[in-house]
Amino acid sequence: MSVETVDRVAAVTSGRPSTPLQTSWFEFLLDGSLLENHLQKSYPDPTPVQLIIQFLEQASKPSVNEQNQVQPPADNRRNRTLKLLALKVAAHMKWDLDALEKGLTIPVLNMLLNELLCVSKVPPGVKHVDLDLSTLPPTTAMAVIIYNRWAIRTIVLSSFPEKQTKPGPHQMNMLSIVQQEKEMTENILTVLKEQATDSISVLEGALQLKKDFYVHTLRTLDLLAADAAANGETESSTAGLRISADELHCQVNYDLGGIFFQQGCTDQTAYEKARDHFRQTKELFTKLDSTVHVHLDEKRLAGYWNACKALTEDCDPSDTQNTPYNQINSLIRAHNHQAVIEAFIKDNMCRSLPINFRRSVLREFLYKVQQGESSLDEVCYKLCVCNAVRDALEGEVLSVRFHQLLLKPSKKMVDFILEVCTLSLGKDRPSESSRRNMATFMKTLCETLQELPLLMGVSSHKLFVELLKEEDRKVLVEQLRKKSATINLSAKPLPSFYDIPASSSVSIGQLEQQLILSLEPRRIRQILIELHGMAERPFWRVNSKWEVPKDYINVILGIKDNLTKDLVYIFMAKGLHCISIKDFPHARQLYSACLELVTEFSPKLRQVMLNEMLLLEVRAHETMAAEGSKERPPSDLVSRVRGYLEMRIHDLPLRQVVGEECVAFMLNWRENDYLTLQVPPSLVMNNPYIKIGQLLASTCKELPGPKECRRTAKELWDVVVQICSMSVQHKRNNDGRVGLIKQRESSMGILQRSKFITFIKKLREPLVLTTLISLFVRFHSIVRDDIVNEVTAEHLTIWPSTLLNIQAVDVEAVAVTVKELVSYALTLNPNNQSWLITQADIYFVTNQYSAALNLYLQAGAVCSDFFTKTVAPDVYSDQVLKRMIKCCSMMNCHTQVAVLCQFLREVDYMTAFKALQEQNSHDAMDSFYDYIWDVTILEYLTHIHHKRGETEKRQIAIKAIGQTELNTSNPEEVLLLAAQKRKKRFLQAMAKLYF
């Protein structure tokens, strides 16, 4: 008997009253009206978000077939109904992303919104940025907007630090499940961040729409389920919940402001965009009569607004008074630092500035000091003192930074502290609590200072005498006398690595904050020693953003000493973070400290750190190369990479990415001889990256002679085809026929396709990328089977021209890979004419004619110094020119078509004449006549203008034909020179139009 059944029986047999039983998810499948009744309750149990989780969890459960093989979730009526129920719950919540984000994890919400896109009939396989929202049905457009709002909100939310939950003993078995969900979340975030620009463009497009919007309700979703959409009801302008344009614009502006504000740390202009969006949000929010569909945090909006004004030096005309925030920011911008300090001292009396704002100002100055503005050191310590006195007056714990200041005191600093204390109490009679708190602060100051002259200066100060009672002063002076005697008797030694002044005033929370911020290994060790002296718990969990590779987690957490475990984990996590933001100097310091630590007790961890340090150096060198450095890597680094590739140590955890980047490193620096001749055969068999690297190196090495390299090219071809193929299983349908089931991420290849693409994007050697582009272009041409619209590339002849098992190939994946590969290659070198032509062909065969023409022109411009020289015939071949002609024709630029027809080896008069007959031309028409040198075309132009009665245009054509250099009696050289001059001028004019 199940637990649920036992609970139900107990509830029936029990005589005492019991709480109502929780409704099970399957009951909603059995009774269609139950969901709506359940959601109408005041306190439904399960709650709406719990229902969404249950429905989607059940709908996405994998099935097991008769052979006990795990199959993906079946696309059956039950699962479709469960997904629809989840959408109906979200519709009941009015698609409130705030509520959905609080209750659902990123993977669950991603699944829910993708299902919304599906049922809303968003065209599959088309990027959202390519959709015209104004032409889509209202509920479809709204689904796209909701998804992209969630995308940018999720990026922003993921950047906020969050406290990691501490699993208890009963939860340790769930770590693998948590890890899986964490990996799924990371993968989704990676995709969302890559598509962030597109999401922003979609939402900016939505702001241009001035009509009302409609979103799915329970009723419209019911209609979809009943297939009532056939009569268009769910796509009409009145179906669904109406949301006014102002409400949506208010919400979208708020979300866009958030993403631009987040991007501001790397792009200062993003703060200006954020400010503009927040201004629009404020204006719309004030104007709205009803804010039912607007979910924003007004306090956060106000905070964003103040921050944007400060960061963009913007003064809002709507602000009728100059707030304290604006005053401080104005002083900072004017570099009037003394006035800032005086404002802080004055604020200690009135306390109008929040302490968090004061701390943020201090952090801003500290950051400037770190960037090299050492002249601000004094400003920093004075602001720190002002903040400490403010904390003291309010009875708060003094900051760690203030305690650090007191470790190296000076007479000037102590005098300033006493001055701030005196001024902060003010001339008027201060409150009793302020006097009491200030007395405590003075006592703490005396107890912390070590040097006798400074102690005597404090204890004899007027404020000290006024605030402390006579008995307290006597006790304190006696303690100071004993303390001074001890100090005089023994010379004070320098603090050792492990000795830290522990103060009860410093809370664990403050030390944890310092631990999160610090990147200096010695300071990290000191903080951890003090923390372990205050509480015995794992401090590697303090920040959920600290992560170490899952390959190492068991080895590190297996360290018995808790302090050492924390040190190793945090050093490695911080080092990895520094590498990710390209802060390689700090990463080297952290890794070196970690290596020194683990060398003492663990040979295994020592080798792990050596491997990670190798990866660090490889990435550092690759980053320099990506930024334009031509310096080859030192020979010892190349030797270390070889050593890693050949290393075989039993029971040593190895990270796949290290081997992957080592192989990419060898390819990028043309270490082809090693990869082709010196790699041990056993490595090639066991490591897929080395296998691919060897085949790429061999193919590139033999490329000048197609016949010689076809054997290795065929091997590389076979490997890539397997990677892009799907496992095919036969299954008998209900009607008895045998159908095919394709599983996308199959294990047929030596590597998963996603990992292969990740590896490709680590390559930057032009010949290697050209080889891969060539391979995928041929592959794409074969699976598309469209001879007329083939994509071109270099070295196509070395690849096979047929595929044996074409039905197993994932055609969509091949198409996507070609596009991604060429786009990536052009980010490395936007002036590679071969890659530009290939990209243009891709746009051409997908009917994106404007983009295709732009790239054809770019390819010609880069090889002719912006058309000041003749474009080589192998760049502008007849095929390329005919495609440029078709692009112009499809865009109704018919005069451009006629001009380009002259560029062909044999002038295409038929196409030119047909184009000139068109009267609905979207180009400048007669302004292009100066670029025509073919007399036959000019004569035809004169004829058709005369026939139409277009006298003015006929005169322009006659003037063009009357130029002496076009006289057919001229020598061939003169006519050729006239043609070349017009070609260059025409192409330059086209470039100005399309660039």
Side-chain angles (χ1 to χ4, degrees), residues 92 95 114 136 155 175 251-252 257 330 361 401 456 503 550 603 660 708-709 725 731 761 811 816 825 833 860 912:
H92 169 77
W95 305 99
N114 273 294
L136 293 175
I155 294 169
L175 279 179
Q251 186 69 64
V252 170
S330 299
V361 172
R401 188 167 298 280
M456 297 308 297
S503 168
K550 60 182 180 181
E660 178 184 349
E708 292 79 3
C709 73
S725 295
K731 181 179 180 181
K761 289 185 178 179
V811 179
V816 169
Q833 65 194 43

Side-chain angles (χ1 to χ4, degrees), residues 19-32:
T19 56
L21 291 172
Q22 189 182 71
T23 312
S24 295
W25 62 269
F26 60 81
E27 295 180 51
F28 296 98
L29 284 175
L30 304 175
D31 184 353

